[in-house]
Amino acid sequence: KYDELLTIRTMIPEMPGIRIRFEYEVVNEKGETITKGWTTLTFLKKDSHRPCRPPQYLLDLLQHIFREGH
């Protein structure tokens, strides 16, 4: 509905490699899941646009989440 308040939950289901997957869940005010979706992105080198591993600082930020099982 037009005036309905929606919550979009975003999850990263696994530690990224060359690709990172974001999963989304849209929930209405009643807590009902309206839809789910995902986006997969690839890390690219700036100069050559070839696939590469993610920057280490990003892996460091995410590492504790996957280690602790959140």
Side-chain angles (χ1 to χ4, degrees), residues 10-44:
T10 305
M11 290 125 329
I12 301 172
E14 60 188 36
M15 193 69 163
I18 292 175
R19 294 179 191 88
I20 186 168
R21 179 179 170 113
F22 296 95
E23 294 182 354
Y24 310 100
E25 183 178 60
V26 180
V27 179
N28 66 13
E29 293 174 287
K30 297 177 187 175
E32 301 167 328
T33 298
I34 295 179
T35 193
K36 293 180 179 183
W38 73 92
T39 304
T40 302
L41 302 174
T42 302
F43 291 95
L44 300 176

